[in-house]
C-alpha cells in the first residue's frame, strides 16, 4: 500500500515539475513577441526610415498596444504570485456591475471586430449593485474574453451577457470555438493546465488565466462554471452572490 502511495506522490510531483517547466517556456514565449515588436518598430522609427505621418502614427499605435499587452500579461503573473503566496488583497466596493462590464468591453471592441468576430452583447442595466473588487472582476472578464478570441477557429462568435438570476448576478461569455472535452473541463481551472488541442498548442498562453478567474470568483463568494462541446463552443458563467436582505417583518 505504501509503495503504491509513494509511486502516486512521485508521479504527481513529476507532473507538476513538467507543468512548471512548460509554464516558464510558455511565459517566455508570450513575453518575447510583444517585446520583439516594440523593439522592431522603435528601431525603425529611430533610424528615420518612416517618412509619412500616417505610417509613424501606425507604428506608435503598435508600440502602445504591444506595451499594454505586456502590462496585462505581467499583471496576470503578479496577481497569480500574490494569490499563491496568500498576499492578494481585495478591495470590495459597492459597484454598478453593468457599468463595469460595459467599460471593460469598450477597450476590446476594436480588437474583437478587427479579428472578424460577430459580437453580441446583452447587458441588463437593472441588475442590483454588488460589492466587488473592480480590477479583479475586470481582469476575470478580460481573461474569459481573450480565451474566447484565442480558442475560436472557423466560426468567430463572441457573446457577453450580464443578468440577474435569483440571488446572484451572472456574467456569461460564449464562443463558437474549439470547445473543451468533458474530461478536460474539470482541469482547465488548475494552474498551468492547457488542453491538448492543436490550436491551443499553437496559441500563446501561460495557463494562468482561468486559475486566476477561479481564485477571484471564490474570493467574492461566487463560482465559475463551464459548459462546452468540442467543435461547437463553450460557455463560461461567472456568478456573484447578491447580498442577502434581512427578512421583512
Ligand atoms: P491560457 O489561455 O493561457 O492557456 P487559461 O488558464 O486561460 O490559460 O486556460 C487554460 C486552458 O483552457 C487553455 O489553454 C485552453 O486549453 C482551455 N480553454 C480556456 N478557454 C477556452 C475556450 N473558450 N475554448 C476552448 N478552450 C479553452
Amino acid at each position: 500500500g505504501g509503495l503504491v502511495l509513494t509511486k502516486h506522490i512521485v508521479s504527481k510531483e513529476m507532473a507538476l515539475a513538467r507543468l512548471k517547466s512548460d509554464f516558464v517556456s510558455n511565459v517566455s514565449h508570450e513575453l518575447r513577441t510583444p517585446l520583439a515588436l516594440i523593439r522592431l518598430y522603435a528601431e525603425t522609427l529611430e533610424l528615420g526610415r518612416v517618412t509619412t505621418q500616417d505610417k509613424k502614427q501606425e507604428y506608435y499605435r503598435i508600440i502602445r498596444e504591444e506595451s499594454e499587452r505586456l502590462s496585462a500579461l505581467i499583471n496576470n503573473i503578479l496577481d497569480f504570485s500574490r494569490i499563491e503566496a496568500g498576499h492578494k488583497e481585495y478591495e470590495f466596493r459597492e459597484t454598478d456591475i453593468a457599468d463595469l462590464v460595459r467599460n471593460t468591453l469598450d477597450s476590446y471592441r476594436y480588437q474583437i471586430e478587427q479579428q472578424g468576430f460577430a459580437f453580441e452583447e446583452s447587458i441588463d442595466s437593472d441588475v442590483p449593485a454588488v460589492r466587488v473588487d473592480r480590477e479583479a472582476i475586470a481582469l476575470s472578464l478580460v481573461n474569459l474574453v481573450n480565451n474566447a478570441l484565442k480558442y475560436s477557429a472557423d466560426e468567430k462568435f463572441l457573446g457577453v451577457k450580464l443578468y440577474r438570476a435569483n440571488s446572484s448576478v451572472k456574467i456569461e461569455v460564449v464562443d463558437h470555438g474549439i470547445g473543451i472535452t468533458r474530461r478536460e473541463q474539470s482541469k482547465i481551472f488548475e494552474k498551468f493546465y492547457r488542453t491538448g488541442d492543436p490550436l491551443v498548442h499553437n496559441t500563446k498562453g501561460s495557463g494562468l488565466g482561468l486559475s486566476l478567474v477561479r481564485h477571484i470568483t471564490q474570493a467574492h463568494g461566487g463560482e465559475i462554471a463551464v459548459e462546452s462541446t468540442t467543435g461547437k463552443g463553450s460557455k463560461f458563467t461567472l456568478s456573484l452572490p447578491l447580498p442577502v436582505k434581512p427578512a421583512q417583518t
Side-chain angles (χ1 to χ4, degrees), residues 68-179:
E68 279 174 10
R69 199 195 298 279
L70 217 47
S71 298
L73 198 63
I74 290 168
N75 280 342
N76 251 4
I77 296 168
L78 284 179
D79 253 16
F80 174 75
S81 70
R82 281 191 199 111
I83 288 170
E84 284 283 288
H87 291 153
K88 171 73 186 163
E89 280 176 22
Y90 291 94
E91 202 185 303
F92 296 101
R93 284 194 283 165
E94 193 93 342
T95 300
D96 181 338
I97 194 95
D99 242 21
L100 178 71
V101 169
R102 230 179 270 117
N103 289 338
T104 308
L105 292 174
D106 275 345
S107 350
Y108 275 80
R109 231 165 246 125
Y110 179 77
Q111 191 195 328
I112 292 166
E113 279 162 21
Q114 199 75 356
Q115 291 187 30
F117 273 80
F119 182 29
E120 250 174 48
E121 200 178 331
S122 150
I123 295 169
D124 181 354
S125 298
D126 295 333
V127 291
V130 200
R131 278 181 72 77
V132 299
D133 180 309
R134 295 174 190 174
E135 257 179 49
I137 294 299
L139 184 70
S140 300
L141 178 58
V142 165
N143 275 315
L144 293 177
V145 167
N146 263 332
N147 281 348
L149 301 179
K150 284 200 295 189
Y151 305 122
S152 290
D154 305 331
E155 210 187 319
K156 295 178 181 246
F157 171 86
L158 171 70
V160 178
K161 250 192 199 178
L162 172 79
Y163 59 96
R164 178 187 183 160
N166 298 321
S167 56
S168 63
V169 166
K170 293 188 191 282
I171 303 173
E172 246 176 48
V173 178
V174 175
D175 65 58
H176 293 175
I178 58 173

Side-chain angles (χ1 to χ4, degrees), residues 30 143-144 147-152 175 177-180 188-190 192-197 200 203-212 228 233-234 236:
E30 227 181 340
N143 275 315
L144 293 177
N147 281 348
L149 301 179
K150 284 200 295 189
Y151 305 122
S152 290
D175 65 58
I178 58 173
I180 304 150
I188 52 173
F189 298 99
E190 288 168 14
F192 312 136
Y193 190 86
R194 310 193 76 212
T195 63
D197 192 284
V200 173
T203 307
K204 288 180 216 73
S206 50
L208 289 188
L210 287 180
S211 84
L212 265 178
S228 185
S234 312
F236 286 85

